[in-house]
């Protein structure tokens, strides 16, 4: 299945939900009126784009209508697609050039961190890169075992300690092994739940200091994993993590089977965080580098019958 088809497939529910509601609003009006703008804003909010982003989109549409760029409600759909494409564009590429480079994966329990790491490992390996994983979620034994399963599936090395071990020590050992084994990419899992927020904050800071000290010149990404099915909750989580870590981007999981894909817009527009990957299933190849243009297109058009461009 091509990337375009898979995007389209993963966004089916969001397209039917949010985009369907937008189409209903546009179809109900003969002309563009204030009522249309109000209904549109409501449709967007129901699609989980958040109040601020809904207002921003409608304001931009208003501007374009005033400039006579939009003539009728039917035409407005294309313009909205265009506004959305501009809104989510930029920053989506991973900035990993140095050898090695480091990816720290953070986020609350159950959002899909470990799964995403497995998929990332497989993706980079396919690109010919040597990958090593660090099992720094030492909070539960099951978390370590789960990462081992993914390392196996992806065919990459893993460094692990026992349950309850110091996560920063795991990261230290993973970096050492990564350097001595000439790895290109070091990816570390982290715990999503600790006894309290300060605990989590301290742990992430400690891990970060280890990376800083051992690989001061290495490119690094701090990827926050968010579960799209939680809608606006995902946005709140991102806000919390922004306070404790220098996030470089988002991996948004579980876009398959959710109608809440509009949350991508909120993350980029409200938080200014680029979405770098989207998860569209539980299999190893169900991760896509985020492509804003393809995403916007898939959101507003039924691409399930369109071949990859
Ligand atoms: P973690 O606690 O953050 O490490 O989360 P896990 O990686 O253990 O994932 C939690 C659950 O979400 C598992 O059942 C995964 O199979 C599932 N999952 C992760 N990513 C996706 C995705 O993109 N789509 C779907 N449908 N399920 C996913
Ligand atoms: Mg995990």
């Amino acid at each position: 299945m091509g990337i375009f088809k898979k995007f389209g497939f993963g966004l089916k529910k969001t397209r039917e939900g949010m985009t369907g509601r937008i189409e209903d609003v546009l179809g109900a009006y003969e002309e563009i009126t204030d009522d249309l703008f109000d209904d549109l804003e409501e449709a967007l909010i129901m699609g989980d784009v958040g109040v601020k982003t809904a207002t921003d989109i409608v304001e931009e549409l208003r501007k374009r209508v005033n400039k006579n760029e939009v003539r009728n409600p039917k035409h407005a759909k294309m313009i909205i697609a265009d506004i959305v494409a501009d809104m989510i564009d930029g920053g989506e590429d991973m900035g990993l050039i140095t050898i090695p480079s480091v990816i720290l994966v953070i986020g609350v329990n159950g959002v899909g961190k470990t799964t995403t790491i497995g998929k990332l490992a497989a993706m980079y390996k396919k690109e010919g890169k040597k990958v090593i994983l660090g099992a720094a979620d030492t909070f539960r034994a099951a978390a370590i075992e789960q990462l081992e399963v993914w390392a196996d599936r992806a065919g990459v090395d893993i460094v692990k300690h026992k349950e309850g071990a110091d996560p920063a020590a795991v990261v230290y050992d993973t970096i050492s092994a990564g350097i001595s084994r000439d790895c290109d990419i070091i990816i570390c899992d982290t715990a999503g739940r600790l006894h309290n927020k300060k605990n989590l904050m301290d742990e992430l800071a400690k891990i970060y200091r280890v990376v800083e000290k051992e690989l001061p010149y290495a490119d690094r990404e701090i990827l926050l994993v968010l579960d799209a099915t939680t809608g606006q909750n995902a946005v709140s989580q991102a806000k919390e993590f922004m306070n404790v870590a220098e996030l470089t981007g988002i991996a948004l999981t579980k876009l398959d089977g959710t109608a809440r894909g509009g949350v991508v817009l909120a993350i980029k527009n409200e938080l200014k965080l680029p979405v770098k990957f989207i998860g569209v299933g539980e299999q190893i190849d169900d991760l896509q580098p985020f492509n804003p243009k393809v995403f916007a297109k898939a959101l507003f058009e039924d691409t399930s019958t369109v071949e990859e461009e």
Side-chain angles (χ1 to χ4, degrees):
M1 203 188 270
I3 187 174
F4 203 85
K5 264 191 171 175
K6 201 145 205 176
F7 257 117
F9 182 71
L11 286 174
K12 190 165 179 281
K13 288 210 172 142
T14 302
R15 189 169 51 242
E16 284 166 2
M18 181 178 83
T19 316
R21 272 194 293 272
I22 291 173
E23 280 165 1
D24 288 348
V25 170
L26 298 177
Y29 288 88
E30 297 280 328
E31 289 167 56
I32 299 179
T33 62
D34 276 345
D35 284 348
L36 180 148
F37 287 124
D38 289 346
D39 287 353
L40 193 59
E41 192 169 313
E42 200 181 309
L44 285 162
I45 291 169
M46 304 241 301
D48 268 284
V49 308
V51 175
K52 177 182 168 10
T53 302
T55 315
D56 289 350
I57 292 172
V58 170
E59 272 316 300
E60 182 59 30
L61 182 65
R62 224 184 253 276
K63 269 190 211 153
R64 297 195 191 191
V65 169
N66 290 340
K67 279 197 263 172
N68 281 326
E69 281 174 34
V70 192
R71 291 179 303 279
N72 55 50
K74 258 209 188 89
H75 185 211
K77 184 180 153 189
M78 272 164 55
I79 303 295
I80 294 167
D82 197 47
I83 292 169
V84 167
D86 282 350
M87 187 173 255
I88 59 179
D89 191 39
E92 60 278 357
D93 292 333
M94 292 288 269
L96 301 178
I97 306 217
T98 60
I99 298 174
S101 294
V102 181
I103 306 174
L104 292 179
V105 178
I106 66 179
V108 305
N109 256 6
V111 289
K113 288 182 298 301
T114 307
T115 308
T116 301
I117 291 169
K119 293 170 177 176
L120 280 172
M123 184 193 85
Y124 284 122
K125 192 177 175 198
K126 218 167 160 186
E127 289 176 11
K129 300 209 162 105
K130 191 162 181 203
V131 180
I132 191 165
L133 307 183
D137 178 359
T138 59
F139 202 64
R140 296 169 305 139
I144 301 169
E145 284 159 24
Q146 197 194 348
L147 192 69
E148 273 187 297
V149 172
W150 276 107
D152 232 36
R153 267 184 210 151
V156 302
D157 288 355
I158 179 171
V159 169
K160 55 165 188 166
H161 288 188
K162 285 203 181 67
E163 179 184 3
D166 177 7
V170 178
V171 171
Y172 179 90
D173 283 353
T174 311
I175 290 173
S176 305
I179 293 170
S180 67
R181 295 179 208 176
D182 286 325
C183 291
D184 299 293
I185 304 207
I186 296 166
I187 311 177
C188 294
D189 201 0
T190 62
R193 179 173 46 112
L194 288 170
H195 307 291
N196 59 53
K197 212 155 80 188
K198 176 155 190 317
N199 233 264
L200 180 63
M201 189 155 54
D202 290 348
E203 181 171 304
L204 290 175
K206 197 170 163 195
I207 288 174
Y208 201 75
R209 278 200 300 277
V210 170
V211 178
E212 192 77 29
K213 183 148 182 282
E214 299 309 311
L215 289 170
Y217 303 111
D219 290 331
R220 64 199 72 144
E221 290 274 351
I222 305 189
L223 269 192
L224 175 68
V225 180
L226 297 173
D227 176 344
T229 65
T230 62
Q232 286 300 304
N233 240 329
V235 178
S236 316
Q237 273 170 30
K239 282 183 185 156
E240 297 240 342
F241 275 96
M242 282 171 94
N243 292 330
V244 299
E246 301 263 332
L247 304 180
T248 59
I250 303 290
L252 190 66
T253 61
K254 311 186 198 182
L255 266 173
D256 54 305
T258 180
R260 314 183 93 171
V263 74
V264 170
L265 280 57
I267 290 165
K268 186 72 204 308
N269 183 57
E270 206 175 314
L271 308 178
K272 309 293 174 215
L273 282 171
V275 173
K276 302 213 171 195
F277 294 98
I278 60 171
V280 293
E282 297 186 88
Q283 304 303 312
I284 199 158
D285 59 351
D286 287 334
L287 185 79
Q288 303 282 351
F290 184 64
N291 181 327
K293 285 197 182 62
V294 175
F295 186 90
K297 202 165 175 180
L299 200 57
F300 287 95
E301 285 172 32
D302 184 358
T303 54
S304 57
T305 54
V306 178
E307 279 306 318
E308 185 175 349
E309 284 184 329

